[in-house]
Amino acid sequence: MSYPQFTVRHRAWLIAASVGVPLLVCAGLSLFRSDISAATSVLVLVLLVVAAASTGDRAAGLVAAVSAGLWFDVFLTEPYGQLAIDDANDIEATVLLVLIGAAVTEVALWGHRHQVRSSRRAGYLDGVLGTVENVSLRHETPAALLQHICEQIELVLGVAQCRFAPGPRLDPRVALMNTQGVVTRDAKLVDVDRDGLPTDEYTAIRVSRGDTIVGHFILTAAGAIARPSLEQRKVAILLADQAGSVLENPAP
């Protein structure tokens, strides 16, 4: 099970821990409050918020920040054991704890998203390079290479199915993805980021050899809406371009 899948599957437990762990830590710190400064306690609680935010769940990070501020007030500020603060410095520390916790959550989520994007780009690059190598070495038949390209396009775009259709003709009802990754249908732009690829009709990626259209990769997005980013669509175009080489120089 991957890390994001684990987080999603155990989200209820994660939220519960985001509430309960700060409570337990604050209760423990209260036993030593005469020896530990408020600033030290705040730093310990910020670490808990960072741990919650590092799961990639914004709600967990924010809940941990609010919970930390709440229990810091109850256990570590006077009057102890009450949801009230008499000292202005303690009020400032509590507010800063919540604000810093929320800010740290957003920074951690930004880092998490950046890491996911970097991993995705590395995966795309590996797929393209692997396909180029297969096409160049010609260890497989043209049909097998075309099938490999189809599988890579399915993976990159998140579509249900991809198949290669030889020949220059294309049903005018089919949407077309151009070399820039832009999708049009009936001469109108399709907002893929908002609406996804068409689900009621195919989407095609044209394959050319020089100025000659030799076929199309036909994409099926029925069953689930696929919203590939422009970057993903451009990677799919690069993959589809390899088919031109396969068809130009078939393996002996």
Side-chain angles (χ1 to χ4, degrees), residues 198-214:
T199 57
D200 59 341
E201 190 51 84
Y202 299 116
T203 300
I205 300 177
R206 183 174 294 158
V207 178
S208 300
R209 188 175 62 221
D211 295 330
T212 303
I213 300 173
V214 294

Side-chain angles (χ1 to χ4, degrees), residues 186-198:
D186 295 329
K188 297 179 181 178
L189 290 177
V190 176
D191 190 339
V192 177
D193 294 328
R194 185 190 67 187
D195 303 322
L197 295 174

Side-chain angles (χ1 to χ4, degrees), residues 34-204:
S34 59
D35 302 317
I36 300 177
S37 67
T40 301
S41 298
V42 167
L43 289 176
V44 171
L45 293 172
V46 167
L47 289 177
L48 295 180
V49 176
V50 171
S54 66
T55 63
D57 190 308
R58 174 181 280 106
L62 295 177
V63 167
V66 173
S67 177
L70 174 66
W71 299 121
F72 177 81
D73 177 6
V74 172
F75 287 102
L76 301 172
T77 65
E78 296 181 352
Y80 300 122
Q82 300 179 33
L83 192 59
I85 305 177
D86 291 339
D87 189 281
N89 290 330
D90 288 340
I91 294 175
E92 180 180 346
T94 302
V95 172
L96 286 176
L97 172 59
V98 175
L99 293 179
I100 291 173
V104 166
T105 296
E106 293 305 316
V107 172
L109 289 173
W110 176 86
H112 182 74
R113 288 193 296 268
H114 181 73
Q115 182 182 26
V116 170
R117 285 195 296 266
S118 297
S119 298
R120 186 182 296 126
R121 290 192 183 101
Y124 295 159
L125 182 59
D126 289 342
V128 172
L129 292 178
T131 300
V132 171
E133 182 179 7
N134 286 339
V135 171
S136 301
L137 296 179
R138 299 300 174 85
H139 291 320
E140 303 177 22
T141 64
L145 289 172
L146 289 172
Q147 179 59 34
H148 175 76
I149 294 173
C150 281
E151 291 171 356
Q152 292 297 313
I153 291 176
E154 287 177 9
L155 183 64
V156 169
L157 297 181
V159 295
Q161 185 181 28
C162 172
R163 60 181 175 84
F164 180 75
R169 293 187 178 181
L170 183 66
D171 190 321
R173 295 172 297 178
V174 174
L176 182 66
M177 186 183 300
N178 68 16
T179 56
Q180 299 302 312
V182 176
V183 179
T184 56
R185 184 179 184 183
D186 295 329
K188 297 179 181 178
L189 290 177
V190 176
D191 190 339
V192 177
D193 294 328
R194 185 190 67 187
D195 303 322
L197 295 174
T199 57
D200 59 341
E201 190 51 84
Y202 299 116
T203 300

Side-chain angles (χ1 to χ4, degrees), residues 20-33 45 71-72 75-76:
V21 173
L23 165 61
L24 296 175
V25 171
C26 286
L29 290 173
S30 68
L31 301 176
F32 308 96
R33 56 191 170 211
L45 293 172
W71 299 121
F72 177 81
F75 287 102
L76 301 172

Side-chain angles (χ1 to χ4, degrees), residues 13-24:
W13 289 103
L14 179 61
I15 297 297
S18 299
V19 175
V21 173
L23 165 61
L24 296 175

